[in-house]
């Protein structure tokens, strides 16, 4: 196999030829068709989202074809097309058995060896995730989900992160109601899927906040009724002015910095719903005003992978795309070879891409 390997947090990823480990019981080997570059992948490669020691491989959202089954695999067969998301779903742990597979106990496990270098050094999958920035990957069976569709690989690659988290934030977490008001902070790889989800949910007013004019125009194309430039004036005041001074029924944060989370909190009305999804640095902290937090009735939710149950939600979201209710083409900014992985990562960090797709 060939893979983009993180060899050090201050160094670019290195393309290396590796020997892929054979699948153990309840594991599968897959050939990667396409993978999506999320800003969290780029940040993880820089050591900002965890302490997995190099060498390791990142990448957590892809579409692939199953090539080899380890003993005991029952969920799929060789030749199946599978979606690879950020989150595992064992189906039996404390959280999965209570309908919260987004918090599966097999998620974010210690680094798992996936391949070896020519000198015998082990290369791991960071946090035990998929490690899809490669030609092949060795996955746990609980981390791959069969899908039957003829949608192109560059669109399917986004289901494991942006699409699943964005639509899940709208449908599963916020549970946006028809005619309601929604504000989305951040119009990127995640926020624009939230905008599309809010449109499908029938929201009456969809406000998108982003400093980039192109991203704001794209938000309108995807269903936003209003946009806010935070560099023009206080974004909270602008959102309040668009919502009769109350704030939005639902405030969805998809930007990352702590100040964006605080702004999203203030953009929600009393007794409104705040959904937080962005993170730039694992050590960031968010400070909220105690009085408004205690007495103004806002519900605050975190959204890990859209609080999805992939075995339930994936087919629904795929059918929405097949029916033309979702616009994936506008979300794919550039397609990169594996050799250009560092260009894709830098473009994500600099907000030059909505989504960069890696086709190994």
């Amino acid at each position: 196999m060939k893979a983009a390997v993180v060899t050090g947090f201050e160094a670019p990823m290195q393309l290396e030829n590796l020997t892929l480990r054979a699948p153990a019981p309840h594991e599968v080997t897959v050939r990667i068709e396409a993978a999506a570059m999320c800003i969290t992948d780029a940040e993880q490669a820089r050591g900002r989202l965890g302490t997995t020691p190099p060498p390791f491989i990142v990448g957590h959202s892809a579409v692939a074809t199953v090539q080899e089954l380890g003993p005991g695999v029952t969920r799929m067969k060789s030749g199946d097309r599978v979606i690879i998301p950020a989150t595992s779903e064992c189906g039996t742990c404390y959280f999965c058995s209570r309908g919260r597979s987004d918090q599966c106990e097999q998620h974010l496990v210690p680094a798992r060896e996936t391949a070896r270098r020519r000198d015998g050094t082990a290369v791991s999958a960071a946090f035990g995730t998929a490690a899809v920035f490669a030609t092949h990957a060795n996955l746990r069976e609980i981390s791959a989900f069969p899908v039957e569709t003829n949608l192109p690989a560059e669109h399917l690659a986004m289901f494991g992160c942006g699409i699943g988290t964005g639509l899940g934030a709208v449908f599963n977490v916020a549970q946006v109601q028809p005619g309601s008001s929604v504000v989305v902070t951040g119009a990127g790889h995640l926020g624009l899927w939230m905008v599309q989800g809010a449109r499908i949910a029938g929201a009456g007013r969809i406000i998108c906040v982003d400093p980039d004019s192109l991203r704001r125009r794209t938000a309108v194309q995807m269903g936003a009724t209003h946009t806010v430039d935070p560099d023009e004036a206080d974004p909270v005041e602008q959102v309040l002015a668009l919502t009769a001074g109350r704030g939005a029924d639902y405030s969805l944060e998809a930007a990352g910095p702590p100040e964006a989370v605080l702004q999203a909190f203030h953009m929600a009305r009393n007794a409104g719903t705040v959904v937080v999804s962005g993170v730039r640095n694992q050590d960031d902290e968010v400070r909220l005003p105690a009085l408004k937090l205690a007495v103004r009735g806002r519900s605050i939710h975190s959204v890990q992978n859209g609080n999805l149950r992939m075995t339930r939600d994936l087919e629904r979201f795929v059918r929405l795309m097949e029916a033309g209710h979702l616009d994936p083409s506008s979300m794919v900014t550039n397609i990169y070879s594996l050799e250009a992985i560092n260009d894709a990562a830098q473009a994500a960090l600099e907000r030059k891409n909505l989504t960069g797709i890696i086709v190994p």
Side-chain angles (χ1 to χ4, degrees):
M1 64 176 287
K2 186 178 290 185
V5 181
V6 177
T7 60
F9 296 134
E10 301 303 323
M13 288 177 270
Q14 299 294 318
L15 207 61
E16 296 188 19
N17 291 310
L18 306 172
T19 299
L20 185 67
R21 178 174 57 80
H26 303 290
E27 291 183 342
V28 297
T29 296
V30 301
R31 177 182 58 81
I32 304 298
E33 295 182 34
M37 171 64 74
C38 176
I39 192 171
T40 56
D41 296 317
E43 296 286 15
Q44 192 175 42
R46 298 165 68 183
R48 294 188 177 183
L49 293 175
T51 55
T52 298
F56 61 85
I57 305 167
V58 295
H60 64 266
S61 179
V63 59
T65 302
V66 177
Q67 289 197 322
E68 185 179 356
L69 306 177
V73 172
T74 59
R75 289 190 180 187
M76 63 204 74
K77 63 184 183 300
S78 182
D80 279 354
R81 206 177 200 191
V82 293
I83 298 296
I84 303 167
T87 306
S88 304
E89 188 174 322
C90 74
T92 59
C93 72
Y94 176 91
F95 294 102
C96 285
S97 64
R98 286 159 175 78
R100 289 302 302 268
S101 54
D102 60 292
Q103 299 299 319
C104 177
E105 291 176 0
Q106 295 301 312
H107 178 52
L108 297 181
V109 297
R112 182 176 59 91
E113 179 186 328
T114 188
R116 286 190 175 264
R117 287 168 152 169
R118 289 175 177 174
D119 65 2
T121 305
V123 178
S124 63
F127 291 108
T129 53
V132 296
F133 292 157
T135 57
H136 297 77
N138 188 301
L139 307 173
R140 295 174 297 171
E141 179 184 15
I142 60 175
S143 299
F145 299 86
V147 61
E148 294 184 11
T149 182
N150 293 320
L151 289 169
E154 60 267 26
H155 297 166
L156 289 171
M158 295 183 284
F159 274 94
C161 181
I163 297 176
T165 303
L167 298 187
V170 171
F171 298 125
N172 294 347
V173 184
Q175 299 181 18
V176 171
Q177 297 300 303
S180 61
S181 58
V182 176
V183 58
V184 177
T185 302
H189 168 75
L190 176 55
L192 288 173
W193 289 111
M194 293 178 174
V195 169
Q196 295 194 61
R199 170 179 49 78
I200 293 169
R205 179 161 294 200
I206 304 171
I207 306 164
C208 190
V209 181
D210 198 282
D212 186 278
S213 60
L214 177 58
R215 292 188 174 202
R216 293 197 303 273
R217 289 196 296 272
T218 304
V220 171
Q221 173 188 327
M222 293 183 172
T225 59
H226 301 77
T227 61
V228 165
D229 180 355
D231 293 336
E232 236 178 42
D234 183 339
V236 175
E237 292 301 322
Q238 292 187 71
V239 170
L240 292 178
L242 290 168
T243 53
R246 289 187 299 271
D249 299 319
Y250 306 94
S251 181
L252 313 181
E253 182 276 328
E259 56 268 25
V261 178
L262 180 59
Q263 289 171 352
F265 176 83
H266 286 298
M267 289 172 183
R269 64 165 169 79
N270 295 346
T273 298
V274 183
V275 178
V276 180
S277 67
V279 59
R280 289 286 176 83
N281 191 312
Q282 63 178 350
D283 296 324
D284 284 343
E285 295 184 354
V286 179
R287 299 180 63 181
L288 300 175
L291 183 62
K292 286 188 176 181
L293 181 63
V295 305
R296 290 304 188 181
R298 290 173 176 84
S299 298
I300 304 175
H301 302 270
S302 66
V303 52
Q304 153 56 26
N305 200 37
N307 290 16
L308 296 184
R309 292 173 63 186
M310 290 292 287
T311 51
R312 175 196 65 195
D313 296 322
L314 177 59
E315 183 175 358
R316 176 190 179 190
F317 294 166
V318 168
R319 302 305 165 232
L320 283 173
M321 186 177 288
E322 287 179 332
H325 298 304
L326 296 171
D327 177 8
S329 296
S330 298
M331 294 296 299
V332 178
T333 311
N334 285 297
I335 295 178
Y336 300 86
S337 65
L338 193 59
E339 288 75 10
I341 187 73
N342 291 300
D343 295 335
Q346 192 61 33
L349 291 169
E350 295 177 359
R351 291 168 48 92
K352 292 181 178 178
N353 285 344
L354 294 177
T355 309
I357 300 293
I358 313 300
V359 179

